[in-house]
């Protein structure tokens, strides 16, 4: 079974749109997401456009602030501080990656934790690992939703996550652990990776290498989640980290690229923006 992130995301966004349509009457306004884009990298422009479109669909106010590649780190941090202080702003997202002269860590730390819709702030990360209330990072949150929507039992299963980035691999592993899977995290130094991945009932791949995972690395009936977004070196088309055509007949469920994890990440961003808005409203 192919898990369509596009379809699931569309359903979630429709439900959110219904919820948000009641907000003006209940709270006097709708949630407001500010997205900052530095430079004009085509992939980043396309991600930011996708976020603006999803906001428009859901009924969330979206402001996209574009800054030139030459903006200094101080100027960018000052802009974030102004948005932190702006009571009309509920969520702040700075599109990554940033130019080399700007520290991503400083940018992430400067965003107020209560407006950190990406869930990247160190206090949100710490809260996640301590099982405290927090904003869950969008991609890992979307992955768990997809597995559940597809009816995949996570409890008691062996999950293998390839990749240990702060943005995907580590938080996905933590969320799977919280769902009571037994989790192995594999990485570039893992010895005999195929032997490890063949043990997986649930295999999450977040590497960033086109069609890296081949059919011999996957056990019959595994649930396979492909997070990778790559350009196929031959066709130039988007493809995942998983050899979809070869693995699909073996997997019990599998996500496509495009149309899998990507759309779920955006709908979880919408959900996080609404959560930040409601937390602020409730704390008044
Ligand atoms: P990253 O920070 O570059 O991390 C890549 C991970 O893959 C690292 O942990 C690395 O191991 C591991 N790795 C690299 N080569 C390997 C190998 N040969 N064998 C085993 N592990 C290997 O990347 P990321 O930010 O996590 O993103 C991963 C992919 O997901 C990218 O394609 C990215 O575009 C995509 N992504 C998609 C979404 C979405 O919404 N769909 C969101 C975020 C990211 P080491 O730690 O040992 O170096």
């Amino acid at each position: 079974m192919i898990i369509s992130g596009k379809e699931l995301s569309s359903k979630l966004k429709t439900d959110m749109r219904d919820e948000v349509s009641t907000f003006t009457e209940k709270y006097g306004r709708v949630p407001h997401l500010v997205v900052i884009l530095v430079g004009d990298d085509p992939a980043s422009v396309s991600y930011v456009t996708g976020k603006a479109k999803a906001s428009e669909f859901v009924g969330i106010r979206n402001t996209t602030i574009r800054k030139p590649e030459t903006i200094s780190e101080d100027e960018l941090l000052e802009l974030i501080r102004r948005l932190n202080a702006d009571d009309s702003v509920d969520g702040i997202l700075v599109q990554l990656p940033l130019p080399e002269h700007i520290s991503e860590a400083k940018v992430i730390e400067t965003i107020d934790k209560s407006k950190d819709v990406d869930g990247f702030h160190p206090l949100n990360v710490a809260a996640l690992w301590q099982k405290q209330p927090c904003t869950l990072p969008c991609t890992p949150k979307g992955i768990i939703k997809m597995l559940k929507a597809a009816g995949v039992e996570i409890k008691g299963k062996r999950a293998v996550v390839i990749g240990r980035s702060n943005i995907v691999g580590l938080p996905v592993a933590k969320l799977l652990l919280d769902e009571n899977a037994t989790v192995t995290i594999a990485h570039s130094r893992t010895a005999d990776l195929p032997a490890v991945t063949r043990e997986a009932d649930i295999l999450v791949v977040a590497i960033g290498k086109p069609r890296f995972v081949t059919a011999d690395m996957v056990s019959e009936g595994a649930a396979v989640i492909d997070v990778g977004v790559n350009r196929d070196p031959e066709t130039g088309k988007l493809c995942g980290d998983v050899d979809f055509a070869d693995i699909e007949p073996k997997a019990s469920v599998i996500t496509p690229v495009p149309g899998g994890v990507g759309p779920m990440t955006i709908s979880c961003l919408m959900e996080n923006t609404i959560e930040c808005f409601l937390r602020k409203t409730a704390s008044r």
Side-chain angles (χ1 to χ4, degrees):
M1 180 177 113
I2 299 171
I3 316 178
S4 168
K6 209 171 159 189
E7 263 174 42
L8 181 57
S9 159
S10 185
K11 185 185 168 301
L12 293 172
K13 283 188 294 187
T14 303
D15 291 349
M16 283 187 266
R17 184 176 62 180
D18 293 345
E19 190 189 356
V20 171
S21 70
T22 65
F23 284 179
T24 306
E25 197 181 325
K26 274 193 206 153
Y27 308 115
R29 67 179 185 89
V30 294
H32 182 193
L33 170 66
V34 176
V35 177
I36 303 173
L37 171 62
V38 177
D40 50 14
D41 168 67
S44 294
V45 171
S46 135
Y47 288 137
V48 165
T49 308
K51 287 164 189 174
K53 271 193 192 155
S55 303
E56 194 187 338
F57 180 85
V58 171
I60 286 175
R61 182 177 158 206
N62 180 294
T63 305
T64 301
I65 302 177
R66 290 193 70 159
K67 291 288 174 190
E69 185 110 4
T70 50
I71 187 174
S72 70
E73 186 178 274
D74 282 349
E75 279 174 280
L76 182 58
L77 297 182
E78 190 41 44
L79 169 61
I80 295 168
R81 285 189 198 104
R82 278 207 307 275
L83 294 168
N84 284 341
D86 184 339
D87 212 30
S88 77
V89 174
D90 304 293
I92 304 168
L93 182 153
V94 180
Q95 185 65 44
L96 302 178
L98 289 167
E100 266 179 21
H101 66 276
I102 300 175
S103 155
E104 287 188 358
K106 272 194 202 167
V107 164
I108 290 168
E109 268 171 34
T110 303
I111 296 171
D112 191 294
K113 175 187 176 254
S114 68
K115 299 188 181 188
D116 170 36
V117 281
D118 258 337
F120 293 164
H121 190 285
L123 291 174
N124 263 321
V125 176
L128 168 65
W129 286 87
Q130 290 175 356
K131 291 197 183 174
Q132 299 296 318
C134 65
T135 299
L136 296 178
C138 304
T139 302
K141 185 180 190 182
I143 290 170
I144 300 296
K145 279 184 192 285
M146 287 176 102
L147 286 168
K148 287 188 175 171
V152 175
E153 171 87 41
I154 304 176
K155 187 173 91 182
K157 293 292 159 63
R158 286 163 304 184
V160 173
V161 179
I162 318 181
R164 54 178 166 179
S165 71
N166 287 329
I167 290 173
V168 190
L170 287 182
V172 163
K174 172 66 168 106
L175 293 187
L176 287 164
L177 189 62
D178 288 348
E179 296 289 337
N180 296 309
T182 301
V183 184
T184 301
I185 304 173
H187 45 77
S188 66
R189 270 96 168 185
T190 298
D192 198 356
L193 184 62
V196 175
T197 56
R198 278 195 293 268
E199 291 292 310
D201 302 309
I202 298 168
L203 178 62
V204 180
V205 190
I207 312 176
K209 294 196 168 151
R211 293 199 297 269
F212 178 87
V213 174
T214 46
D216 60 303
M217 296 169 74
V218 177
S219 72
E220 202 70 46
V224 180
I225 305 288
D226 189 353
V227 187
V229 180
N230 312 293
R231 288 273 160 207
D232 186 310
E234 282 150 32
T235 63
K237 289 188 179 162
L238 278 189
C239 73
D241 289 349
V242 162
D243 188 334
F244 185 87
D246 274 9
I247 292 176
E248 197 241 353
K250 263 186 130 176
S252 56
V253 297
I254 186 166
T255 60
V257 178
V261 175
M264 287 303 291
T265 298
I266 295 202
S267 55
C268 287
L269 172 67
M270 298 298 108
E271 195 177 278
N272 284 355
T273 306
I274 294 170
E275 281 174 12
C276 287
F277 167 82
L278 289 176
R279 255 184 244 130
K280 191 156 106 187
T281 317
S283 68
R284 292 224 164 107

